[in-house]
Amino acid sequence: MAIPITVLDCDLLLYGRGHRTLDRFKLDDVTDDYLMSMYGFPRQFIYYLVELLGASLSRPTQRSRAISPETQILAALGFYTSGSFQTRMGDAIGISQASMSRCVANVTEALVERASQFIRFPADEASIQALKDEFYGLAGMPGVIGVVDCIHVAIKAPNAEDLSYVNRKGLHSLNCLMVCDIRGALMTVETNWPGSLQDYAVLQQSSLSSQFEAGMYKDSWLLGDSSFFLRTWLMTPLHIHETPAEYRYNMAHSATHSVIEKTFRTLCSRFRCLDGSKGALQYSPEKSSHIILACCVLHNISLEHGMDVWSSPMTGPMEQPPEEEYEHMESLDLEADRIRQELMLTNFS
């Protein structure tokens, strides 16, 4: 009985004969323009990823041992940046869609293992002060060391009974908490929260909140929008401004907060698997959470390598559930309200 050579080749490579590698695709054989159009990143960046992840992707216990790290990385980048397992992309690097899926899983886990290496909040005083100086130079908002917000990423329904991932628009999603600096580099990323949780609840239960509540960053605060509660370490906008100082505070707050809004648009523009344009992520919540985190790691690596992450055309992210106002409850934290009033009086009068 005749066996299609493509199937035979794939099975042999994936399941047999130990140390053979699949090298049908050579980076040096194509142009940078081709790599950018197909995989979203230039040649030297891809070579860096091969060096960074090569050992993890060559583990003898992995099923895709016979597929080279270079090919696995190209397959994953192709998925992250396009949002689909396109046949033409698999054909370009010589593997099947099933193999591409395994490659994405391998590369995703390798990147997640290194998340703490590339996504981290500065701890030393000099770096904290540098963050304050940079944010102050943007719009005159003092004491800010990061901007926080949440973004929903659509996922497939885990099962018919589980409503915890259904957000206020009736879509299944993960509600991801992120903090960025003035360049758009992510300093905190938590991607595991179910979409039914509102932003303030996500922050309340996060490790980020625990760190600030424990006083790790004294005399500093984050900036968040009106979907969060005012805290001594989290400055939110005024629901209604009544004085010139309050107006100037809100304007400075808006200009500073726009940094993370721009960062979200950039993430969804570069990593189209996140923006919902090709449908929801067709994975479990846990695997979807890891894919989102892997994209965030790549975003930060891009910045470290001098890539202008805000240069690509912006497309809006997945339509976010409508925000609700929580300003009427802020009076519960009188100390936070005092700090904000003092901030406005000192800096915006």
Side-chain angles (χ1 to χ4, degrees):
M1 180 176 63
I3 300 176
I5 187 63
T6 53
V7 175
L8 176 62
D9 185 54
C10 181
D11 287 345
L12 282 173
L13 285 167
L14 288 175
Y15 303 117
R17 309 251 172 89
H19 298 288
R20 294 201 306 169
T21 58
L22 180 58
D23 292 318
R24 295 178 184 171
F25 185 92
K26 296 290 188 180
L27 283 178
D28 291 336
D29 293 341
V30 297
T31 65
D32 281 326
D33 288 342
Y34 175 83
L35 291 173
M36 288 296 296
S37 65
M38 287 290 287
Y39 308 105
F41 292 93
R43 188 186 320 274
Q44 292 306 315
F45 184 86
I46 296 171
Y47 279 138
Y48 172 78
L49 292 181
V50 172
E51 181 181 352
L52 177 70
L53 308 178
S56 297
L57 299 177
S58 299
R59 291 169 181 163
T61 55
Q62 288 183 331
R63 295 175 68 191
S64 60
R65 173 64 181 88
I67 301 180
S68 68
E70 181 179 290
T71 300
Q72 292 185 63
I73 288 168
L74 289 173
L77 292 179
F79 169 72
Y80 297 148
T81 58
S82 72
S84 66
F85 293 113
Q86 300 173 18
T87 302
R88 68 181 182 88
M89 192 167 294
D91 290 344
I93 54 178
I95 62 175
S96 67
Q97 289 192 13
S99 298
M100 280 194 66
S101 181
R102 287 187 284 272
C103 291
V104 169
N106 293 340
V107 174
T108 295
E109 291 311 306
L111 287 168
V112 167
E113 288 174 0
R114 292 160 177 78
S116 61
Q117 179 181 344
F118 296 100
I119 300 174
R120 55 189 181 275
F121 222 106
D124 60 284
E125 291 185 11
S127 297
I128 293 295
Q129 186 59 49
L131 287 172
K132 292 180 181 180
D133 294 343
E134 290 170 352
F135 275 114
Y136 184 79
L138 176 64
M141 183 71 74
V144 178
I145 60 173
V147 186
V148 61
D149 208 346
C150 290
I151 183 172
H152 286 259
V153 176
I155 63 172
K156 73 173 183 178
N159 57 64
E161 292 76 28
D162 190 351
L163 300 179
S164 64
Y165 292 92
V166 179
N167 62 40
R168 283 173 285 166
K169 292 188 72 67
L171 303 173
H172 289 82
S173 67
L174 290 169
N175 195 6
C176 306
L177 179 74
M178 303 187 192
V179 177
C180 75
D181 66 14
I182 197 170
R183 300 181 304 133
L186 297 166
M187 301 184 292
T188 294
V189 175
E190 297 187 25
T191 60
N192 59 304
W193 299 103
S196 64
L197 282 181
Q198 298 177 21
D199 292 1
Y200 76 91
V202 169
L203 180 61
Q204 206 166 40
Q205 299 177 48
S206 69
S207 59
L208 176 70
S209 176
S210 300
Q211 292 168 7
F212 274 87
E213 291 288 352
M216 288 184 63
Y217 302 100
K218 294 180 179 179
D219 301 318
S220 308
W221 44 74
L222 301 174
L223 236 56
D225 63 19
S226 57
S227 63
F228 299 106
F229 293 114
L230 179 70
R231 292 288 182 261
T232 56
W233 48 269
L234 176 65
M235 293 293 105
T236 59
L238 291 154
H239 182 44
I240 299 175
H241 57 264
E242 298 178 342
T243 68
E246 291 176 347
Y247 171 78
R248 286 190 285 269
Y249 166 83
N250 269 9
M251 291 297 290
H253 189 291
S254 177
T256 307
H257 189 268
S258 68
V259 172
I260 198 161
E261 296 166 359
K262 195 174 181 181
T263 300
F264 284 167
R265 290 196 299 271
T266 297
L267 277 170
C268 292
S269 177
R270 168 156 281 163
F271 303 106
R272 303 304 296 271
C273 66
L274 306 181
D275 75 350
S277 63
K278 298 294 179 64
L281 287 172
Q282 297 299 303
Y283 298 92
S284 68
E286 181 181 7
K287 288 184 178 179
S288 296
S289 170
H290 286 186
I291 287 172
I292 301 166
L293 181 55
C295 291
C296 291
V297 173
L298 288 172
H299 170 85
N300 275 12
I301 295 176
S302 300
L303 276 173
E304 288 192 9
H305 282 251
M307 295 178 64
D308 184 359
V309 298
W310 289 347
S311 62
S312 56
M314 295 294 183
T315 58
M318 167 193 171
E319 187 177 355
Q320 301 296 300
E323 291 180 358
E324 295 179 0
E325 301 293 340
Y326 301 98
E327 295 290 330
H328 60 284
M329 298 183 66
E330 288 186 353
S331 59
L332 294 175
D333 194 332
L334 298 180
E335 177 62 12
D337 186 65
R338 183 195 67 77
I339 291 174
R340 186 171 64 178
Q341 291 295 330
E342 183 178 314
L343 187 155
M344 288 188 291
L345 180 66
T346 305
N347 296 275
F348 297 100
S349 295

